Amino acid sequence: MRGLGVRIALDDFGTGYSSLGYLRRFPVDKIKIDRSFIRDLDRRDTAAIVRTVIGLGAELGVIVTAEGVETEAQLDMLRKAGCGEAQGYLIGVPAKAADMSRLLRSPALLRQSV
């Protein structure tokens, strides 16, 4: 499947059915830290868990994405911890595919990427 370009993301990591065991059983390409952890980043124990997951991803050579980033403080902490990707309202709000297509063609976006 990888030869076809298929990638596997372990979504909502840290909650429900996304356990550490999956990291051994499946060739995971990405770990997505559940937003409930990001929401509580100001708690010492939660911040320690998030830093540990980011470190685990680095050790395994897996991309780590933080879900639900809503504040600059959260994004700053995640950057300092070495998190490679983030998603959430701070970065961008949900949008329809047609809206995204227009955004990607916008001259303002093209100027920013240069």
Side-chain angles (χ1 to χ4, degrees):
M1 286 184 26
R2 283 215 168 156
L4 297 172
V6 174
R7 300 290 178 253
I8 298 173
L10 187 53
D11 197 20
D12 299 332
F13 189 73
T15 64
Y17 294 103
S18 61
S19 72
L20 287 170
Y22 288 127
L23 295 175
R24 290 192 320 175
R25 285 192 281 173
F26 300 109
V28 173
D29 299 291
K30 180 182 284 193
I31 298 169
K32 294 181 78 178
I33 303 171
D34 187 74
R35 66 184 184 173
S36 63
F37 289 94
I38 306 308
R39 180 180 53 237
D40 293 336
L41 261 179
D42 56 338
R43 292 181 47 181
R44 185 173 168 257
D45 58 341
T46 303
I49 292 168
V50 169
R51 286 191 306 271
T52 301
V53 172
I54 293 167
L56 177 63
E59 288 292 322
L60 295 173
V62 174
I63 297 166
V64 176
T65 301
E67 299 178 327
V69 177
E70 296 182 355
T71 69
E72 290 287 343
Q74 291 169 336
L75 186 59
D76 186 52
M77 181 274 173
L78 292 163
R79 282 182 176 151
K80 287 178 182 173
C83 187
E85 296 182 356
Q87 66 184 56
Y89 283 101
L90 180 66
I91 287 87
V93 298
K96 295 179 183 176
D99 295 338
M100 290 305 300
S101 180
R102 279 192 295 278
L103 175 65
L104 292 172
R105 290 191 311 263
S106 93
L109 182 65
L110 293 173
R111 283 192 301 273
Q112 289 177 356
S113 64
V114 176

